[in-house]
Structure formats: C-alpha cells, structure tokens
Amino acid sequence: MTDHNTPNEAVAPLDEKELGIDPEALWAAADKLRGTIDSGEYKHVVLGLIFLKYISDAFETRRAALRIELEADGLSGQALEKLLESRDEYAAENVFWVPPEARWTEIQAKGKTPTIGKLIDDAMYAIEKDNPKLKGKLPRDYARRGIAPDRLGGLIDQIASIAVGTREAQRKDILGRVYEYFLGKFAAAEGKLGGEFFTPSSIVRLMVEMIEPFEGRVYDPACGSGGMFVQSERFAEAHGGSRRDLSVFGQESNPTTWRLAHMNLAIRGIEANLGEQPADSFTRDLHPDLKADYILANPPFNISDWSGELLRSDKRWKYGPPPVGNANYAWIQNFIHHLAPPNGRGGGIAAFVMANGSLSSNTGGEGEIRKAIIEADLVDCIIAMPPQLFLTTGIPVCLWFVTRDKSGKHLDKGRGGRHRAHETLFIDAREMGQMETRTLRVLGGRDYPSSPPPADTDIGRIVRAYHAWRGEKGAGEYNDVRGFCKATTLEEIRNANFTLVPGRYVVSAERSAPDETFDASMRRLSKELEEQMVKVSLLDDQIKKNLEVLGYGF
C-alpha cells in the first residue's frame, strides 16, 4: 500500500499560495479521524464537509452579489432582506439554496459543541429538503459515528480556511480541486478499497484526449466518483465548448460511492443522470435505451460474481454469452450495446480500461466473442499500458477503443478523417511513464493545461499518433513507428488468430546498447518474453485445431 503521506499521481499538485493553506496540513487534519472511525468510511465524513463548505460559499458569493445589485436598484430594509432570502434568485444562477441553519458560518460557530455531529446531519437534511436534486445523496450519519467534537471541530476549522469565498477562487475551481485531491489521497491511503472507484487522472486524461468528447451523450456504466465526467467537461470547455454541450449519464452500484459522485459533480455544476438509486449495470441497467456518443469507463474487470448465470440470454450479448466466471466480455459487450449507431456524422466511440487477458484469452468462449467483435470491425485502437499506473495494483492494463463507424465522419465539429475500415491501430506504451514514487508511475503530460499536451510528452505522443492515423485535420501524416505503433489490417489480425496483443504487431525497437542498466534490461526482456508467450499460445491453439481435424481433439 502506498504510504498515505506520499504524493500520488491521482491529481495535479495544489499550490499553497493559491489555496490559502498548505494542502498537506489540511490532509493531516482529516487524517486524524483515521483512528476514530472505520478507514473505509472516513473519506465520506471529510468529503461531505468539503461539499457543505462549497455550496455554502457559492451561496454566500451569490448573496453578496445580489445585495449589491438590489442596493443599486434602491432597495433596503425588509424588502432587501426578503429578496436576499428568495430561493428563485439563487436557482436562476444554478446556485444551491442553503437554509440558514446549514450555512457554514453557523456550522463553524458550533464546531466544538457536543452536538456538532447532529447539527451537521440536520444541515445535510435541510439542504436535501430544499434542493430536490440532492435528495438522498448527502451523508447524514455524523452523529452516529461518534466522532470526538474537538477533532470534528478542528477539521471544520481547517476546511474553513480554504480560500474559496471569491468569484476568482470559484473560477479556478479551488474547492473542486481540493475535493479531487482528497479523492486521490484517500485512494492512496486505503489501498484497494479506495482505489476500486478511482481511476488515475493520467489514464482518464489520455482516454478523453483520444476520443475528444465535444458534444453529445457521455456514458459511464461504472462511474465511481465521476472522474471521467469531470475530465470530459474540462475537455469541452478547453476547446471552446460548454458543459451544456454534453449530456452526462452514469451508473454506480456502491451506495456511498454513488453519493460521492453526485457531490463531486455538483461541486463542478455538472448536471448528470446517475439514476435515482445506486444499481448494478448488469442486473439493473438504468439506461436501457441509451445510445451514447461517447463511453468512458474503468469497470471492475476480472470479476467472477457478476450474476452471469442469470443473464445468459441477455440481449446485450450480441457476439456471444460471456463466461459466467469472468465479466470482462460482459463489460465489453455492454459498452458496444450502448454505442450510438452510424448517423451520417459518425457513430459512437468507447474508451475503456481492461485486463490484459482480454486481448488473447480463449477461456469460456472469450476467443470466439473477440473474433466476432473483430470481424464486425468494431475495434479501433488497442494500447498496451505500462505497469504501476494504479494506486491499488502494479499490474499493467490495456486500453480498448471501440467504434461503430470507421468512415472518418466524426462528431468532433467536422474535423474530418480518413476511411479506416478493416484496420486497427496498435500502440505499445509499455515503456512510457515516469516513477513519481517508489511504487507509482505517471504518464507525462497529465497536468498540461493545453489540449492535447505537447508532442514530447507521453500522452501527447500517443494522442497525436491516434489522431494522425484517423486522418484528422491538422494532426499530421501517420507513419508506423518501430517499437511504438502499427496500423494493422483485419487480415493480419485473422492470421494472428484474432489476438489483440499490441506486441504481436508492433515490431520491437532495436535492442539497447550493451551498457543498458539492469532495470532497462529486465523491462526489455520481460517485453520480449510476453511476445514469445503470445506466439506460444497461438501455436498451441493451432495444434489443437489440427488435432481436432484429424479426430484426435482434446
């Protein structure tokens, strides 16, 4: 497990001067709660308070601006105060109404009293009551947790010192970034329990830059705390769009994580349909008729208890029923099912994280499903990722990009593209990234404000290769690069027995000089071993088929 005091690659670093407080001091105050409540739950206590501070500050900022407007119109006294307490004046500016008893000044003033836990619960309930969009989505169990008032009050004082009370601070999304920073810190501190719903920002940034969600419907059926949506909105705005250009749909089965997602999105002012309750995407699809323009997801792959036996005849399994013991191809087919069909401007495109085994496994019929998906010409791009990118595991993963339409007509504001039917791009990024801590790797370009990041960064290089291969205007000319990328025909994939391992197609780079370091040698040799194991697997399959033809199958 990563030490909870070490920086992690989940979010961009915070500037102490811009924030108005040392972020590590804020984290230290929150971390004091670890010994008093369950380690898997204390993040909800902290993040709930940050959310309460955010909506209270947004309310007070709007209230101050409204007072200036009304006084300029000559209003004063009771008439002025009445309008300052009018819900409509806040709703018109997409600001949550915060009743008097729930305002931060009231909470902070009573922060050290014995009943502070109940006061916070009452404040959350009052906010939910006056804001139907938040009903059932805020934590209301502070009193039950029995947190010592001095510790809870100390945390309230620390959060109160964050500089979020001005329009400039809100424009810079200070509190939103604090919230995101805490999500990452909690994931690092809690290991697997926290990381189950958290996707490192460098991976999210890469996926978003690849598929370019300008406008349309964005869907994530395993949305966790909503990080995919936040990055999509940032991308649209960075390219002159608006968050109103994107319609957000999601689903999350974990109730507490589902609440985190609502708070995370509300802090950014993002409207999202995550369903009325948390629900499992396989057994209770909350958006059965949705056809999305963009799908971004990091589903819980390799899970065995996904109710596969109960769903053998589900309409989503167009390319074959997934094995009951592994949900990988259930997720893949669920994504394909929800993709928008070709519509004259292009079809839907999905980007998702998946286990490396999905690229070559033949267990439980997975090979036949993969073959059918490839023959349907749905696989646009596959990227082999380096190890140690995740907070919770060091194993490498891969990224799949699946599209309904390879005609070159895109939804991204008519930027054009080349016809790439019966072709798939393979990218080998296993050597990319830099170690940020002893156990954690980050892709270069994660924190660049420009979109896409510069060409000399990891993310920038991958994104530019993909966009050039798609033939987008201004992306330059595509060329295969030894050891990095290869445009591969459907016939070549057929000849490789429908494996999608990039190392099978991307020609290895020249061997390093004899004086390469031990670490570099081991990484190169591991890469070569993986390629040889893929070839052995393909030969085994061919031998079995030949024996079956001769009547000696097993």
Side-chain angles (χ1 to χ4, degrees):
M1 183 188 300
T2 305
D3 183 80
H4 63 264
N5 285 320
T6 0
N8 64 77
E9 62 82 64
V11 294
L14 293 174
D15 187 328
E16 180 176 345
K17 292 181 179 178
E18 188 177 39
L19 184 61
I21 183 177
D22 178 3
E24 285 298 325
L26 184 61
W27 168 251
D31 205 36
K32 290 179 181 178
L33 298 179
R34 280 170 62 89
T36 61
I37 58 178
D38 182 74
S39 62
E41 294 296 321
Y42 81 115
K43 61 177 171 286
H44 304 294
V45 172
V46 178
L47 294 173
L49 287 175
I50 292 176
F51 177 78
L52 184 61
K53 175 70 159 64
Y54 166 79
I55 63 170
S56 184
D57 278 12
F59 174 84
E60 294 296 348
T61 299
R62 170 57 187 155
R63 197 173 194 273
L66 180 60
R67 177 183 292 276
I68 293 173
E69 294 171 10
L70 296 176
E71 288 178 343
D73 290 336
L75 286 177
S76 61
Q78 290 185 348
L80 173 64
E81 293 301 321
K82 183 178 180 180
L83 280 175
L84 287 176
E85 294 296 315
S86 171
R87 289 172 173 77
D88 293 341
E89 296 291 344
Y90 299 88
E93 297 293 326
N94 292 317
V95 173
F96 289 111
W97 167 261
V98 182
E101 66 272 24
R103 294 170 192 171
W104 189 260
T105 51
E106 184 74 10
I107 298 296
Q108 187 179 7
K110 299 177 180 177
K112 303 293 176 61
T113 62
T115 59
I116 183 58
K118 183 177 184 304
L119 290 173
I120 295 172
D121 288 339
D122 291 344
M124 295 290 191
Y125 178 78
I127 291 169
E128 286 189 351
K129 182 179 178 181
D130 286 335
N131 298 275
K133 291 180 181 179
L134 296 175
K135 186 176 181 181
K137 301 178 177 76
L138 302 184
R140 289 189 279 121
D141 52 1
Y142 286 81
R144 179 183 63 80
R145 296 183 186 278
I147 305 170
D150 61 326
R151 292 197 175 186
L152 191 53
L155 178 58
I156 289 171
D157 287 341
Q158 285 281 353
I159 293 174
S161 61
I162 305 174
V164 295
T166 66
R167 286 190 179 275
E168 177 65 11
Q170 290 180 12
R171 184 187 67 79
K172 292 180 178 179
D173 192 24
I174 296 296
L175 196 53
R177 288 166 56 205
V178 170
Y179 191 95
E180 195 171 19
Y181 170 80
F182 266 64
L183 280 175
K185 293 292 284 187
F186 282 124
E190 295 167 33
K192 185 176 180 181
L193 290 176
E196 283 178 351
F197 65 87
F198 195 86
T199 308
S201 63
S202 62
I203 293 180
V204 181
R205 176 77 186 267
L206 173 59
M207 293 165 66
V208 169
E209 293 285 350
M210 291 279 281
I211 70 172
E212 304 175 307
F214 283 101
E215 57 185 359
R217 293 153 295 187
V218 180
Y219 176 53
D220 183 351
C223 70
S225 54
M228 300 288 185
F229 302 137
V230 172
Q231 284 283 6
S232 295
E233 298 279 357
R234 286 175 179 166
F235 179 89
E237 291 181 343
H239 287 266
S242 166
R243 64 187 55 177
R244 291 186 294 272
D245 295 334
L246 292 174
S247 300
V248 173
F249 299 86
Q251 189 162 339
E252 170 57 41
S253 60
N254 184 293
T256 51
T257 307
W258 179 76
R259 293 188 182 93
L260 281 184
H262 279 95
M263 291 190 291
N264 192 17
L265 298 176
I267 278 179
R268 276 39 177 257
I270 298 174
E271 293 280 348
N273 181 349
L274 306 185
E276 290 301 316
Q277 300 90 24
D280 177 79
S281 291
F282 291 138
T283 58
R284 188 183 172 204
D285 189 345
L286 299 179
H287 309 287
D289 301 320
L290 174 66
K291 298 299 179 183
D293 301 302
Y294 307 99
I295 292 177
L296 287 155
N298 174 24
F301 45 74
N302 286 340
I303 58 173
S304 58
D305 54 344
W306 66 280
S307 303
E309 193 63 56
L310 302 175
L311 300 168
R312 300 304 289 167
S313 59
D314 195 284
K315 65 180 182 180
R316 290 172 286 185
W317 317 147
K318 180 178 179 180
Y319 303 97
V324 296
N326 193 309
N328 290 351
Y329 275 87
W331 282 116
I332 291 171
Q333 293 191 82
N334 184 56
F335 300 143
I336 294 172
H337 173 77
H338 281 289
L339 276 180
N343 56 15
R345 297 180 300 157
I349 184 168
F352 50 91
V353 184
M354 190 52 62
N356 278 350
S358 65
L359 301 175
S360 59
S361 171
N362 292 311
T363 305
E366 289 183 335
E368 290 302 312
I369 300 173
R370 184 172 60 255
K371 174 183 176 180
I373 292 172
I374 292 169
E375 290 285 9
D377 204 21
L378 295 171
V379 183
D380 205 38
C381 178
I382 299 290
I383 304 178
M385 302 299 289
Q388 297 179 286
L389 285 175
F390 282 79
L391 296 164
T392 57
T393 177
I395 64 171
V397 297
C398 59
L399 301 184
W400 286 58
F401 296 83
V402 172
T403 182
R404 288 280 196 184
D405 186 8
K406 295 183 180 180
S407 67
K409 299 174 182 177
H410 305 309
L411 291 173
D412 49 7
K413 298 186 178 180
R415 299 204 302 163
R418 60 182 284 269
H419 190 76
R420 57 193 191 282
H422 310 301
E423 190 173 287
T424 296
L425 178 66
F426 289 95
I427 296 177
D428 189 342
R430 288 177 293 174
E431 300 296 324
M432 288 188 166
Q434 305 81 40
M435 298 304 293
E436 188 168 79
T437 70
R438 184 176 56 83
T439 59
L440 211 53
R441 183 183 302 274
V442 59
L443 295 178
R446 171 197 64 182
D447 300 330
Y448 274 90
S450 61
S451 177
D456 61 353
T457 65
D458 298 324
I459 295 176
R461 186 185 182 198
I462 294 171
V463 168
R464 281 170 171 78
Y466 177 62
H467 290 172
W469 172 73
R470 295 207 308 179
E472 295 184 9
K473 295 176 182 177
E477 182 179 351
Y478 172 80
N479 291 293
D480 290 340
V481 177
R482 187 182 184 92
F484 176 58
C485 61
K486 173 71 164 62
T488 307
T489 65
L490 176 57
E491 189 60 32
E492 289 178 277
I493 299 175
R494 286 191 184 118
N495 292 337
N497 201 24
F498 297 96
T499 179
L500 292 176
V501 177
R504 175 65 177 78
Y505 307 99
V506 179
V507 178
S508 297
E510 297 293 340
R511 290 177 179 268
S512 301
D515 61 347
E516 67 181 349
T517 65
F518 175 79
D519 180 64
S521 297
M522 288 302 297
R523 290 174 69 183
R524 173 176 57 76
L525 292 171
S526 296
K527 182 177 178 181
E528 292 176 3
L529 177 61
E530 180 183 0
E531 293 168 357
Q532 293 302 317
M533 291 176 71
V534 169
K535 292 178 181 179
V536 169
S537 176
L538 294 174
L539 289 172
D540 287 343
D541 290 339
Q542 191 60 50
I543 291 171
K544 289 179 181 179
K545 287 183 179 180
N546 292 341
L547 288 173
E548 288 174 359
V549 171
L550 296 173
Y552 298 99
F554 60 89

